[in-house]
Amino acid sequence: MRIKSIQRFLCANDIDAALIFNEANILSLTGIKCDNACLLVKSHDFLFFTDFRYIPEVRRLRSDIKVRDIKRLYSNFPKASKIGFEPSISYGRFLQMKKAFPKAEFIDISDVISDLRSVKTSDEIEKTKVACEIAQQALY
């Protein structure tokens, strides 16, 4: 659902694709917690990139997601003139992106992702309630 919203945003703003590296954002968009990953979102498709060691686990958790080795991220990337990204990435990562796409314009999509994450699903609300109960029991 959230990925579809990002795809609609990309189409509406004539952005070719988005690269999402933030672990919390990837978790929110896919339900997969992975600290070495990137989500490549295109207008009608998306790919999950991670270290080759984690690919079997991602496939086990979400068999509906296409998973690739993160070393192949830029070789799998479509030709793009506008790329959405999160400016919170490291400078080194940004330099890699600039090197891979020297003519591309990079568009900040962090507000779009934050807005999507601010609306919680019923599953997220339930998990938050359980976490609060556990924290309350631990404290009192």
Side-chain angles (χ1 to χ4, degrees):
M1 176 89 168
R2 289 177 176 154
I3 289 178
K4 292 278 186 207
S5 295
I6 291 176
Q7 290 172 324
R8 283 191 295 274
F9 174 82
L10 295 176
C11 287
N13 291 279
D14 205 26
I15 299 172
D16 301 304
L19 288 169
I20 301 166
F21 290 97
N22 181 284
E23 182 178 355
N25 291 338
I26 291 172
L27 174 63
S28 177
L29 294 168
T30 66
I32 297 172
K33 182 171 174 47
C34 188
D35 64 353
N36 185 18
C38 177
L39 195 60
L40 167 61
V41 181
K42 300 180 277 184
S43 61
H44 301 299
D45 193 16
F46 70 95
L47 295 169
F48 190 100
F49 289 86
T50 189
D51 186 289
F52 73 93
R53 298 169 294 177
Y54 306 129
I55 290 174
E57 181 67 8
V58 172
R59 286 187 176 140
R60 186 185 69 76
L61 293 170
R62 292 282 309 267
S63 60
D64 60 317
I65 291 180
K66 298 176 197 169
V67 188
R68 304 286 186 270
D69 188 327
I70 200 161
K71 288 182 180 176
R72 297 177 51 216
L73 172 63
Y74 297 121
S75 64
N76 278 273
F77 207 85
K79 292 191 185 264
S81 59
K82 284 185 173 181
I83 300 171
F85 81 110
E86 309 148 299
S88 60
I89 61 173
S90 71
Y91 183 64
R93 172 104 48 208
F94 184 72
L95 289 177
Q96 287 175 338
M97 290 169 40
K98 291 290 285 179
K99 182 178 178 183
F101 310 103
K103 296 181 181 179
E105 176 185 358
F106 291 92
I107 311 293
D108 179 355
I109 62 166
S110 55
D111 288 344
V112 174
I113 296 171
S114 292
D115 290 349
L116 290 171
R117 285 184 55 196
S118 69
V119 179
K120 301 303 179 201
T121 65
S122 57
D123 185 50
E124 289 170 327
I125 292 168
E126 189 57 38
K127 287 178 180 177
T128 301
K129 286 179 184 177
V130 170
C132 288
E133 290 171 9
I134 292 169
Q136 186 173 3
Q137 289 174 5
L139 293 173
Y140 301 104

